[in-house]
């Protein structure tokens, strides 16, 4: 931790800062420059991090030297993590494609989509039973009924299931029916939910919040790891910017940044990011090209009657064609699908 | 709903769109222009809103004519709502100041702050027992113990209490100990939580999400009203922008916009928005000047040892001086404190 | 400057960093911590600022201790600057209101508006002769003819004139006809323009760029001051965010921040920020309440036929009524209009 | 144009709106719905676009049906444009790589870089002679001397030159020495500059502004085309968001969006977007994968002494290795380098 003092700091203020640092069992190192005096603090920075040193009179600013997260960092674990989900490995050389309808609407539709995406190359089946909807008047999902259908269909095709958890009270249900518990973008900082899934050993797919910085994203993952669950898969799904042609702005920069900072696998959801099926394929290719470990794609047999997110859903045929193209890009960057 | 067709729409596509509209029991009105054909849809727009018409071949874009929320709108209820919280009226001529420490740390501190802010003119006591913290290693609040202290101290000073709910399972506790249940910015789209508080008649203080548009903010409130609870107070607390000198960007534009669109009262939290005590007073004045119905302010007797948000907390003395200044501004705009 | 080294820095890399610092005539101070080694650099930081130290192998990050601007800072000049513009003082106790039409359209209209705003209390006449328009098909302004009209009308009412400069080649014209040269938001980082006006002694009204940080805003002003012209007035006019109910997001946080960092006066333009006349008055009040030194307001006798920015223009009568209200707010914060 | 009337519009207001539309020679089509009356306007929308209809009493909102640009649109010219720059074709099947140092620093350095990038596969030489720098104290470029060096070296290697124009007065110089005139991000809405280059037939590389929407970006290009110059190459170079790990947020979504809306070629600059050399390669690959027509890359033989943008510059060796990898990705999407 570096503490920069104001140019007009008094002797009394200066002594008070030193005292506070020592009181925490830390060792201050003072450097007097021509324009500012700075104090470097040697020793575990965590004790200082939670101290509001900025408010001490005479302090101009406090600059952290270390990152605020630990367990998710590459410094803590240099080799990339591979999360095993019912035999499917996320984070390895082979890219993982999670595909399916936005919401589970009925058995037939789910069956048809699962069959099609499995055939095309998807390894994991996605589908929402509990749906976070911006409007209270929109379809809110089938609930447990949807979970049962997911489990049933997934067994039929031997595909692990990923589905969203919105309420900690539903966790036992998801533990029973799902292989990967998804924490949605709007719940990325629902810390109670993070702690709860952290207490299980279920794989967690953590989506980046709409306005979460990468640091906040990693800290949300840290919540889960700090409870003992290291099976976390990160998912970039677009952030909020001023641009309105796409629903969100897919931040692909985040992929190499996260890969550098963390050992956790990271996948990309181009369906939610763009909000329009025409843009899903180019952004999926870009995601693969810049190093994502997988994709999450919405597929619907008849988007114009989908109960949610129709505009961004691909037809099964289009999905299959896209996977073929993605295989070429994956090969170009030394990966497989 | 206005449906704009592509310039090269085929007869078959055109007929299909008309069919879909009629199938929903609605009446299409076609206008053929020189460059585009548009279809206006007469009748309840809600049926169409949930239909992904954009994906129908031949459709260029779909534009909503009506707002997606109802119960929160001024069209639904033209006169401004006044929420009564233990005798304190939020939304009336008199501004409401909610003040107190970020977190409840211990009885003595809470007592001292409550006494000071009450004396200075605050009507509601704020204090966190359950704390949403970006890092899992930060102080997470005293929990029920904190709630009890809040209740105890609030009784002593005759001040209603506002405190945050983070987990639906804690709602019974909050119903018992608190007068206003706060939904924090990070939970603004925690739809399960919204529904739960909607089923009570407790006053709810709903904070705007960090990257929530005003429309999304009002839709979050609509979730609560749609369950039957109309006692909602909105709170602007800063949105995310690229600027880093302040923790968030306080969007005061939102105050007159919300006042125009909705009948609900709206207050401002300049402490969290700016993240720095020096900026709290000027932004509090600005909030009052542009029509806010109240303020939420963090006060701490010794910010440099606060367990959370020290940098943005005011000393009790400073708080009292600020209220004096705010009274002048309030008077200038025809309000009182 | 603080240089943080990577945890795995080699001896050779470490020596190379020290060497580079010494080669610049600076003195490194090394602090070895438990997790990182940091190097504080004593001496003028400017030499280091332009050096890309981040690219040196072994360096994790470089943190600046000092601000990148000088002449605009309060450290350089602690007392607030007051800019005299034809007798009108910007930055003093009295707030300055600059008002007039967005574009100069014709003599009669300009005369009528000038008369009305003067009577209501405005001290400076605004009006565009060269108009920056997003579309090439929009009205681009009357050019020199507009400048002449501005000068003529301003003389009649004894009001200094502020008008925008878009092209360095027009500077001689503006020096002749205008009292304050405005640099628009879209030209805030048109560095050639900044240097040119820096070489004159004309007062400059510098508008904040749509996505400029406060640091970049102050650096743009620094361009002007560094050429010798200290007569700079800053203007906050809204930044870009994701919110769409207003044209831009007025960042009033910026007022107290700038007041703390710089000695330059700062005014607010609520007309461009909100883009809607209904929001001009509340945001003008808020601007005054939080410490702005003045306002810039668009007024048009018949907004529905205005050649530009009609939606955000006030009728003269409404403007006069607003000034009366603003006087109360100004008084409440110890200022006058 | 669709005009939505307020629910409480009066007969008089309604008639006035119709009158205004007819006065412009347009034909209103009225649709009375259950909750709103809307007026569709048949006929050329441009006349209406510049009319501030929103301010007419009784009007709730005005929604444009047509896009505000023409000449840049795919509707105007369905087939993709290919811009020929000294024999190099931008927008064809072969991707174009523009590479070189951020600033021209001296002859030897430029020569070395040009030689290396040419050998590696770059077709166009980039280098700044006039440098837009955020700080007035940073290196501002060699000016005409730099242009001469660029021309000289480019001849030696048979590579067309792209360099930035910052001041309309320097256009004759650039016409003489450069093959592509770059308009930088900070000048994207320097409309005078756009008009000037529009009057030449030089190829123009137009960079997207830091906070420009895609619509504004295309309107800036429209400025150039509307003056008669159709030789415009667009360049995505990152937009401003709240994320700080990268210098800007590269908006690759914009590539397929622009490809859909416009016939102009679009390239990507991952060096400026990320601000860090480590991220250049993954983002370059992503750009190629999602359909960009080329890349602009900064290369420097010794980044740690570069006079500008050292941190984001690649070493020549690293650049050559990257091109090899990019060739594979290009092939995977049916392109070549």
């Amino acid at each position: 931790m570096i503490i920069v003092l104001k140019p007009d700091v008094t002797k009394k203020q200066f002594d008070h800062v030193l005292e506070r640092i020592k009181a925490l069992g830390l060792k201050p190192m003072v450097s007097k420059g021509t324009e500012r005096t700075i104090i470097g603090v040697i020793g575990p920075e965590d004790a200082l991090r939670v101290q509001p040193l900025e408010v001490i009179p005479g302090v101009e600013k406090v600059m952290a030297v270390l990152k605020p997260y630990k367990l998710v960092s590459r410094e803590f674990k240099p080799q990339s993590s591979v999360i095993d989900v019912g035999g499917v490995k996320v984070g390895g050389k082979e890219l993982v494609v999670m595909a399916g309808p936005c919401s589970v609407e009925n058995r037939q539709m789910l069956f048809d989509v699962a069959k099609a995406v499995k055939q095309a190359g998807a390894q994991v089946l996605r589908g929402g039973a509990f749906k976070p909807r911006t409007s209270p008047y929109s379809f809110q999902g089938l609930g447990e009924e949807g979970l049962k259908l997911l489990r049933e269909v997934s067994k039929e095709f031997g595909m692990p299931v990923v589905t969203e958890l919105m309420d900690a009270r539903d966790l036992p249900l998801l533990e029973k029916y799902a292989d990967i518990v998804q924490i949605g973008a709007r719940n990325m900082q629902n810390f109670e939910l993070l702690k709860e899934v952290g207490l299980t050993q279920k794989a967690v797919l953590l989506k980046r919040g709409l306005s979460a910085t990468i640091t906040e994203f990693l800290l949300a993952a840290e919540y889960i790891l700090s409870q003992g669950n290291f099976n976390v898969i990160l998912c970039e799904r677009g952030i909020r910017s001023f641009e309105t042609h796409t629903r969100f702005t897919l931040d692909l920069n985040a992929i190499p940044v996260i890969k550098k900072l963390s050992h956790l696998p990271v996948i990309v959801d181009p369906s939610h990011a763009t909000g329009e099926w025409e843009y899903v394929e180019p952004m999926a290719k870009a995601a693969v090209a810049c190093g994502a470990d997988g994709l999450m794609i919405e597929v619907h047999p008849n988007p114009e009657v989908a109960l949610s997110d129709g505009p961004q859903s691909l037809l099964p045929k289009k999905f299959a064609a896209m996977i073929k193209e993605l295989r070429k890009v994956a090969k170009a960057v030394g990966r497989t699908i």
Side-chain angles (χ1 to χ4, degrees), chain A residues 315-331:
Chain A
L315 286 165
K317 214 169 69 178
K318 180 79 192 129
F319 174 77
M322 179 182 78
I323 294 292
K324 273 190 197 163
E325 295 304 313
L326 287 175
R327 286 203 172 104
K328 297 181 200 166
V329 179
K331 197 184 157 200

PDB file of all heavy atoms in Angstrom, chain A residues 315-331:
ATOM      1  N   LEU A 315     -31.784 -20.676 -35.263  1.00  0.00           N
ATOM      2  CA  LEU A 315     -32.470 -21.899 -35.657  1.00  0.00           C
ATOM      3  C   LEU A 315     -31.480 -23.058 -35.554  1.00  0.00           C
ATOM      4  O   LEU A 315     -30.276 -22.857 -35.779  1.00  0.00           O
ATOM      5  CB  LEU A 315     -32.954 -21.783 -37.115  1.00  0.00           C
ATOM      6  CG  LEU A 315     -34.161 -20.874 -37.314  1.00  0.00           C
ATOM      7  CD1 LEU A 315     -34.335 -20.541 -38.785  1.00  0.00           C
ATOM      8  CD2 LEU A 315     -35.417 -21.549 -36.766  1.00  0.00           C
ATOM      9  N   PRO A 316     -31.948 -24.273 -35.255  1.00  0.00           N
ATOM     10  CA  PRO A 316     -31.024 -25.414 -35.137  1.00  0.00           C
ATOM     11  C   PRO A 316     -30.134 -25.586 -36.378  1.00  0.00           C
ATOM     12  O   PRO A 316     -28.936 -25.868 -36.259  1.00  0.00           O
ATOM     13  CB  PRO A 316     -31.978 -26.599 -34.957  1.00  0.00           C
ATOM     14  CG  PRO A 316     -33.176 -26.011 -34.280  1.00  0.00           C
ATOM     15  CD  PRO A 316     -33.323 -24.635 -34.865  1.00  0.00           C
ATOM     16  N   LYS A 317     -30.693 -25.372 -37.542  1.00  0.00           N
ATOM     17  CA  LYS A 317     -29.918 -25.532 -38.775  1.00  0.00           C
ATOM     18  C   LYS A 317     -28.784 -24.515 -38.843  1.00  0.00           C
ATOM     19  O   LYS A 317     -27.659 -24.824 -39.220  1.00  0.00           O
ATOM     20  CB  LYS A 317     -30.851 -25.345 -39.980  1.00  0.00           C
ATOM     21  CG  LYS A 317     -30.504 -26.198 -41.163  1.00  0.00           C
ATOM     22  CD  LYS A 317     -31.609 -26.176 -42.218  1.00  0.00           C
ATOM     23  CE  LYS A 317     -31.715 -24.817 -42.886  1.00  0.00           C
ATOM     24  NZ  LYS A 317     -32.770 -24.805 -43.942  1.00  0.00           N
ATOM     25  N   LYS A 318     -29.124 -23.303 -38.483  1.00  0.00           N
ATOM     26  CA  LYS A 318     -28.132 -22.230 -38.492  1.00  0.00           C
ATOM     27  C   LYS A 318     -27.045 -22.514 -37.448  1.00  0.00           C
ATOM     28  O   LYS A 318     -25.857 -22.267 -37.681  1.00  0.00           O
ATOM     29  CB  LYS A 318     -28.860 -20.915 -38.180  1.00  0.00           C
ATOM     30  CG  LYS A 318     -28.016 -19.680 -38.152  1.00  0.00           C
ATOM     31  CD  LYS A 318     -27.702 -19.163 -39.545  1.00  0.00           C
ATOM     32  CE  LYS A 318     -26.607 -18.095 -39.482  1.00  0.00           C
ATOM     33  NZ  LYS A 318     -25.518 -18.338 -40.406  1.00  0.00           N
ATOM     34  N   PHE A 319     -27.471 -23.046 -36.307  1.00  0.00           N
ATOM     35  CA  PHE A 319     -26.522 -23.398 -35.255  1.00  0.00           C
ATOM     36  C   PHE A 319     -25.527 -24.446 -35.746  1.00  0.00           C
ATOM     37  O   PHE A 319     -24.307 -24.317 -35.549  1.00  0.00           O
ATOM     38  CB  PHE A 319     -27.269 -23.911 -34.016  1.00  0.00           C
ATOM     39  CG  PHE A 319     -26.380 -24.433 -32.926  1.00  0.00           C
ATOM     40  CD1 PHE A 319     -25.706 -23.552 -32.090  1.00  0.00           C
ATOM     41  CD2 PHE A 319     -26.201 -25.797 -32.730  1.00  0.00           C
ATOM     42  CE1 PHE A 319     -24.879 -24.025 -31.073  1.00  0.00           C
ATOM     43  CE2 PHE A 319     -25.365 -26.274 -31.719  1.00  0.00           C
ATOM     44  CZ  PHE A 319     -24.702 -25.383 -30.893  1.00  0.00           C
ATOM     45  N   ALA A 320     -26.043 -25.433 -36.407  1.00  0.00           N
ATOM     46  CA  ALA A 320     -25.172 -26.501 -36.909  1.00  0.00           C
ATOM     47  C   ALA A 320     -24.171 -25.959 -37.925  1.00  0.00           C
ATOM     48  O   ALA A 320     -22.981 -26.312 -37.911  1.00  0.00           O
ATOM     49  CB  ALA A 320     -26.020 -27.615 -37.528  1.00  0.00           C
ATOM     50  N   ALA A 321     -24.649 -25.077 -38.782  1.00  0.00           N
ATOM     51  CA  ALA A 321     -23.752 -24.486 -39.778  1.00  0.00           C
ATOM     52  C   ALA A 321     -22.670 -23.652 -39.094  1.00  0.00           C
ATOM     53  O   ALA A 321     -21.499 -23.653 -39.485  1.00  0.00           O
ATOM     54  CB  ALA A 321     -24.564 -23.619 -40.752  1.00  0.00           C
ATOM     55  N   MET A 322     -23.067 -22.936 -38.042  1.00  0.00           N
ATOM     56  CA  MET A 322     -22.112 -22.104 -37.319  1.00  0.00           C
ATOM     57  C   MET A 322     -21.021 -22.942 -36.668  1.00  0.00           C
ATOM     58  O   MET A 322     -19.843 -22.584 -36.713  1.00  0.00           O
ATOM     59  CB  MET A 322     -22.829 -21.281 -36.256  1.00  0.00           C
ATOM     60  CG  MET A 322     -21.889 -20.414 -35.439  1.00  0.00           C
ATOM     61  SD  MET A 322     -22.736 -19.486 -34.126  1.00  0.00           S
ATOM     62  CE  MET A 322     -22.941 -20.785 -32.911  1.00  0.00           C
ATOM     63  N   ILE A 323     -21.416 -24.066 -36.078  1.00  0.00           N
ATOM     64  CA  ILE A 323     -20.415 -24.907 -35.401  1.00  0.00           C
ATOM     65  C   ILE A 323     -19.355 -25.360 -36.404  1.00  0.00           C
ATOM     66  O   ILE A 323     -18.156 -25.384 -36.100  1.00  0.00           O
ATOM     67  CB  ILE A 323     -21.091 -26.133 -34.722  1.00  0.00           C
ATOM     68  CG1 ILE A 323     -22.002 -25.677 -33.588  1.00  0.00           C
ATOM     69  CG2 ILE A 323     -20.040 -27.128 -34.211  1.00  0.00           C
ATOM     70  CD1 ILE A 323     -21.307 -25.072 -32.393  1.00  0.00           C
ATOM     71  N   LYS A 324     -19.800 -25.664 -37.611  1.00  0.00           N
ATOM     72  CA  LYS A 324     -18.830 -26.059 -38.644  1.00  0.00           C
ATOM     73  C   LYS A 324     -17.798 -24.955 -38.887  1.00  0.00           C
ATOM     74  O   LYS A 324     -16.606 -25.218 -39.019  1.00  0.00           O
ATOM     75  CB  LYS A 324     -19.566 -26.357 -39.965  1.00  0.00           C
ATOM     76  CG  LYS A 324     -20.041 -27.789 -40.069  1.00  0.00           C
ATOM     77  CD  LYS A 324     -20.538 -28.084 -41.478  1.00  0.00           C
ATOM     78  CE  LYS A 324     -21.389 -29.347 -41.453  1.00  0.00           C
ATOM     79  NZ  LYS A 324     -22.226 -29.475 -42.657  1.00  0.00           N
ATOM     80  N   GLU A 325     -18.293 -23.739 -38.964  1.00  0.00           N
ATOM     81  CA  GLU A 325     -17.381 -22.604 -39.185  1.00  0.00           C
ATOM     82  C   GLU A 325     -16.473 -22.391 -37.972  1.00  0.00           C
ATOM     83  O   GLU A 325     -15.293 -22.082 -38.106  1.00  0.00           O
ATOM     84  CB  GLU A 325     -18.181 -21.319 -39.460  1.00  0.00           C
ATOM     85  CG  GLU A 325     -18.987 -21.343 -40.746  1.00  0.00           C
ATOM     86  CD  GLU A 325     -18.117 -21.627 -41.963  1.00  0.00           C
ATOM     87  OE1 GLU A 325     -17.047 -20.996 -42.083  1.00  0.00           O
ATOM     88  OE2 GLU A 325     -18.503 -22.489 -42.790  1.00  0.00           O
ATOM     89  N   LEU A 326     -17.063 -22.551 -36.782  1.00  0.00           N
ATOM     90  CA  LEU A 326     -16.287 -22.338 -35.556  1.00  0.00           C
ATOM     91  C   LEU A 326     -15.147 -23.349 -35.442  1.00  0.00           C
ATOM     92  O   LEU A 326     -14.081 -23.042 -34.903  1.00  0.00           O
ATOM     93  CB  LEU A 326     -17.191 -22.448 -34.329  1.00  0.00           C
ATOM     94  CG  LEU A 326     -18.156 -21.279 -34.101  1.00  0.00           C
ATOM     95  CD1 LEU A 326     -19.076 -21.569 -32.919  1.00  0.00           C
ATOM     96  CD2 LEU A 326     -17.385 -19.981 -33.857  1.00  0.00           C
ATOM     97  N   ARG A 327     -15.392 -24.558 -35.963  1.00  0.00           N
ATOM     98  CA  ARG A 327     -14.332 -25.576 -35.904  1.00  0.00           C
ATOM     99  C   ARG A 327     -13.086 -25.107 -36.644  1.00  0.00           C
ATOM    100  O   ARG A 327     -11.961 -25.362 -36.208  1.00  0.00           O
ATOM    101  CB  ARG A 327     -14.834 -26.892 -36.509  1.00  0.00           C
ATOM    102  CG  ARG A 327     -15.808 -27.622 -35.599  1.00  0.00           C
ATOM    103  CD  ARG A 327     -15.896 -29.120 -35.889  1.00  0.00           C
ATOM    104  NE  ARG A 327     -16.712 -29.736 -34.845  1.00  0.00           N
ATOM    105  CZ  ARG A 327     -17.988 -30.128 -34.994  1.00  0.00           C
ATOM    106  NH1 ARG A 327     -18.582 -30.024 -36.177  1.00  0.00           N
ATOM    107  NH2 ARG A 327     -18.651 -30.642 -33.983  1.00  0.00           N
ATOM    108  N   LYS A 328     -13.308 -24.419 -37.749  1.00  0.00           N
ATOM    109  CA  LYS A 328     -12.162 -23.918 -38.527  1.00  0.00           C
ATOM    110  C   LYS A 328     -11.387 -22.859 -37.731  1.00  0.00           C
ATOM    111  O   LYS A 328     -10.158 -22.858 -37.710  1.00  0.00           O
ATOM    112  CB  LYS A 328     -12.643 -23.298 -39.846  1.00  0.00           C
ATOM    113  CG  LYS A 328     -13.341 -24.270 -40.782  1.00  0.00           C
ATOM    114  CD  LYS A 328     -13.744 -23.540 -42.069  1.00  0.00           C
ATOM    115  CE  LYS A 328     -14.850 -24.276 -42.819  1.00  0.00           C
ATOM    116  NZ  LYS A 328     -15.458 -23.421 -43.853  1.00  0.00           N
ATOM    117  N   VAL A 329     -12.149 -21.963 -37.097  1.00  0.00           N
ATOM    118  CA  VAL A 329     -11.478 -20.916 -36.317  1.00  0.00           C
ATOM    119  C   VAL A 329     -10.754 -21.538 -35.123  1.00  0.00           C
ATOM    120  O   VAL A 329      -9.617 -21.176 -34.801  1.00  0.00           O
ATOM    121  CB  VAL A 329     -12.483 -19.837 -35.857  1.00  0.00           C
ATOM    122  CG1 VAL A 329     -11.772 -18.762 -35.024  1.00  0.00           C
ATOM    123  CG2 VAL A 329     -13.189 -19.198 -37.050  1.00  0.00           C
ATOM    124  N   ALA A 330     -11.428 -22.489 -34.472  1.00  0.00           N
ATOM    125  CA  ALA A 330     -10.809 -23.157 -33.322  1.00  0.00           C
ATOM    126  C   ALA A 330      -9.488 -23.798 -33.738  1.00  0.00           C
ATOM    127  O   ALA A 330      -8.455 -23.653 -33.059  1.00  0.00           O
ATOM    128  CB  ALA A 330     -11.760 -24.211 -32.748  1.00  0.00           C
ATOM    129  N   LYS A 331      -9.505 -24.479 -34.869  1.00  0.00           N
ATOM    130  CA  LYS A 331      -8.293 -25.135 -35.361  1.00  0.00           C
ATOM    131  C   LYS A 331      -7.189 -24.094 -35.614  1.00  0.00           C
ATOM    132  O   LYS A 331      -6.016 -24.321 -35.314  1.00  0.00           O
ATOM    133  CB  LYS A 331      -8.629 -25.889 -36.655  1.00  0.00           C
ATOM    134  CG  LYS A 331      -7.582 -26.919 -37.036  1.00  0.00           C
ATOM    135  CD  LYS A 331      -7.896 -27.579 -38.372  1.00  0.00           C
ATOM    136  CE  LYS A 331      -6.613 -28.142 -38.980  1.00  0.00           C
ATOM    137  NZ  LYS A 331      -6.753 -28.349 -40.420  1.00  0.00           N
TER     138      LYS A 331
END
